[in-house]
Amino acid sequence: MNVFVTGGAGYIGSHCVKRLLAAAHQVTVYDSLIHGHRQAVDPRATFVHADLADREKLPGVLAFGGFDAVMHFAAFLNVGESVEKPLLYYRNNVANTINLLEGMQRARISRLVFSGTCAVYGVPERLPITEDLPKRPISPYGTSKLTVEWLLRDSAKAWGLGSVSLRYFNAAGAAADGSIGEDHRPEIHLIPVLLEVALGKRESVDVFGTDYPTPDGSCVRDYIHVEDLADAHLLALELLTPGQAEAYNVGTGRGYSVLEVLAAARAVTGHPIPQRLAARRPGDPPVLYADPDRIKQRLGWKPRYTELSDMIASAWRWRQAHPGGYGSE
Ligand SMILES: NC(=O)c1ccc[n+]([C@@H]2O[C@H](COP(=O)([O-])OP(=O)(O)OC[C@H]3O[C@@H](n4cnc5c(N)ncnc54)[C@H](O)[C@@H]3O)[C@@H](O)[C@H]2O)c1
């Protein structure tokens, strides 16, 4: 297929681009580079440096690109920032997705794989989280992603869009070949923050909340390797049902506490990684982990990485080779 990839210069998008190319698909990346990195884009992909807000450029590229499908990663994803600047988040995550869908409808592109998130569930009423649990996001970020799921559902009915929303849990790790990795600026994700401490770029890591109703008092999350996410995207693209909006959880189904992740990172890096105990952050659910059964049954997906230490080790290899991230060796 000829695939249009928004946000393909970002962390998860760039790994999916490599996976698409490995499966002999043709790829065009469309990214504003507001957060992504040009170096993360595989040179075999066509690169368009533009914003989804550009209502002249975007429809033109879609109309004349001959695309069979779209993978939509471009979004803002800092939960805390979304609380402070909700309009920015709705503008980029919702309004710009409407621009994309309008362009797709006009260009008659009717396959889409969308970056969803476990944040649509808010504080789940049961664990593990199944797809049918109530969607009660507790941040503008989560609400913006749920709104896009509604746009996809309504577009299926109105003009036959076939879509898959992949509700990722916490993405982690880096490409096995060491070519690309995670470099968010500012970095807000736990594992890369721990690795920055191990590299001497930060003094310590803050553990937000030590009085949660969990075995060790810290938050529990489900970590999913970015290459397993890439596999899920490929399967979703190839197996999506035309004219239907589907949604799948993508996680391993196992939760690790923040303190367990810290211990694993200390073991992988051999660095003491000092910690500071801090207050809970508003809007952090105590425990999130997936029931990934639906994607396993329906798409035949299976994670290759199930051990947290393997995920951290792959991230560590990339970070050691690129201590300053992209653009600085
Ligand atoms: N990282 C995670 O753990 C995680 C978890 C759940 C869901 N997600 C979702 O996955 C997607 C990718 O996340 P990521 O971690 O790779 O983030 P990222 O910031 O590394 O990648 C997003 C990319 O989109 C681009 N972009 C943003 N707005 C744009 C716009 N208006 N026009 C063009 N390009 C634009 C950025 O430049 C960046 O390259 C996001 O939609 C995010 O909400 C991520």
Side-chain angles (χ1 to χ4, degrees):
M1 281 185 242
N2 183 7
V3 189
F4 181 80
V5 181
T6 79
Y11 170 45
I12 302 169
S14 59
H15 287 80
C16 290
V17 165
K18 279 178 74 74
R19 188 73 189 83
L20 284 168
L21 291 165
H25 294 293
Q26 204 181 319
V27 177
T28 295
V29 169
Y30 187 100
D31 199 302
S32 66
L33 298 180
I34 185 165
H35 287 136
H37 307 276
R38 183 66 182 89
Q39 303 95 306
V41 180
D42 191 295
R44 292 168 293 171
T46 303
F47 182 70
V48 180
H49 184 188
D51 200 294
L52 291 174
D54 188 334
R55 301 191 65 185
E56 285 181 19
K57 181 99 176 180
L58 177 65
V61 176
L62 287 170
F64 299 110
F67 300 112
D68 303 298
V70 171
M71 282 194 184
H72 180 33
F73 299 94
F76 292 151
L77 55 140
N78 185 329
V79 173
E81 186 183 52
S82 82
V83 175
E84 286 160 29
K85 301 176 185 169
L87 302 183
L88 180 73
Y89 273 67
Y90 288 110
R91 163 90 46 210
N92 197 31
N93 296 2
V94 180
N96 286 339
T97 298
I98 294 175
N99 294 346
L100 175 68
L101 293 173
E102 283 174 345
M104 289 177 65
Q105 186 182 12
R106 238 175 270 135
R108 298 183 191 283
I109 305 167
S110 58
R111 300 172 85 88
L112 174 76
V113 182
F114 169 62
S115 293
T117 168
C118 64
V120 297
Y121 298 108
V123 181
E125 65 186 31
R126 266 191 283 116
L127 289 161
I129 298 172
T130 48
E131 286 83 355
D132 54 353
L133 283 190
K135 317 300 173 293
R136 292 193 285 242
I138 54 174
S139 67
Y141 168 67
T143 311
S144 72
K145 290 284 180 172
L146 182 59
T147 308
V148 172
E149 289 200 20
W150 291 338
L151 293 174
L152 302 183
R153 180 197 61 195
D154 294 343
S155 295
K157 287 196 201 117
W159 52 279
L161 177 70
S163 68
V164 175
S165 295
L166 295 175
R167 295 179 188 147
Y168 321 151
F169 283 64
N170 287 41
D177 67 5
S179 57
I180 51 176
E182 182 169 13
D183 182 5
H184 292 109
R185 298 180 196 182
E187 192 52 79
I188 49 164
H189 295 98
L190 178 62
I191 292 172
V193 165
L194 296 176
L195 301 184
E196 285 183 2
V197 179
L199 284 168
K201 294 185 177 293
R202 295 179 191 236
E203 279 185 9
S204 61
V205 61
D206 288 328
V207 178
F208 295 107
T210 49
D211 56 352
Y212 284 104
T214 58
D216 64 24
S218 64
C219 282
V220 170
R221 296 289 180 267
D222 184 338
Y223 293 86
I224 176 73
H225 196 276
V226 67
E227 292 200 319
D228 287 323
L229 278 180
D231 285 350
H233 280 77
L234 193 68
L235 288 165
L237 175 76
E238 293 175 349
L239 301 177
L240 73 72
T241 313
Q244 289 205 16
E246 296 162 314
Y248 298 104
N249 288 337
V250 199
T252 61
R254 170 151 181 209
Y256 290 94
S257 74
V258 172
L259 294 176
E260 283 176 318
V261 180
L262 241 165
R266 287 177 180 136
V268 167
T269 61
H271 188 281
I273 313 185
Q275 69 194 46
R276 279 195 325 189
L277 303 181
R280 292 182 181 196
R281 281 184 305 198
D284 256 348
V287 183
L288 296 173
Y289 58 92
D291 178 344
D293 213 44
R294 186 190 278 184
I295 188 167
K296 288 183 173 171
Q297 298 300 329
R298 298 203 194 156
L299 300 186
W301 174 83
K302 195 168 175 274
R304 286 180 278 169
Y305 289 81
T306 51
E307 290 304 318
L308 184 64
S309 53
D310 295 336
M311 298 187 210
I312 296 174
S314 80
W316 181 230
R317 273 193 300 278
W318 188 77
R319 248 357 253 255
Q320 279 183 302
H322 306 84
Y326 287 106
S328 61
E329 302 317 311

